[in-house]
Amino acid sequence: TMSSKEINPKLVEAIGYLGSLLSCITFIPQVYLTWQTKNVTSLSLLMILIVNFSCIVWLSYAYLIKSKPVLVANSIVLTLSLMLLYFKLTY
């Protein structure tokens, strides 16, 4: 088996950033559609609140373990999720 010392740290970081990018991309279509249509009836307020809280927990974790990919991803997802919360409460 491969020990952790044999894994290229740059590869690990690249995988982290790829995962971060993919996590961020998932919210962009919903934010854009909601912004364009101003239709929030299908948005779950509970889901948005859970995502916001989840991002705050992940940001705390990322800060503690000094993980830039997790910090970047959750900062972006939190921003997008806060936008959805704003839309849900405003429209």
Side-chain angles (χ1 to χ4, degrees):
T1 64
M2 192 184 265
S3 74
S4 62
K5 293 180 182 177
E6 296 176 30
I7 299 172
N8 182 339
K10 290 188 182 215
L11 175 61
V12 172
E13 184 107 346
I15 291 169
Y17 278 109
L18 177 60
S20 297
L21 175 67
L22 294 172
S23 293
C24 297
I25 288 173
T26 61
F27 274 80
I28 293 171
Q30 186 64 61
V31 170
Y32 182 76
L33 180 67
T34 305
W35 177 59
Q36 288 294 306
T37 65
K38 312 279 191 270
N39 182 353
V40 295
T41 55
S42 64
L43 289 179
S44 164
L45 180 60
L46 181 58
M47 185 274 308
I48 296 168
L49 293 173
I50 291 169
V51 169
N52 279 289
F53 184 67
S54 170
C55 286
I56 292 166
V57 172
W58 275 112
L59 284 169
S60 301
Y61 173 75
Y63 175 78
L64 292 170
I65 67 165
K66 310 280 190 272
S67 175
K68 288 182 185 176
V70 178
L71 273 170
V72 169
N74 283 282
S75 296
I76 294 170
V77 172
L78 179 60
T79 300
L80 294 169
S81 185
L82 286 170
M83 291 173 71
L84 287 178
L85 180 61
Y86 173 78
F87 294 156
K88 182 70 175 177
L89 298 175
T90 303
Y91 298 147

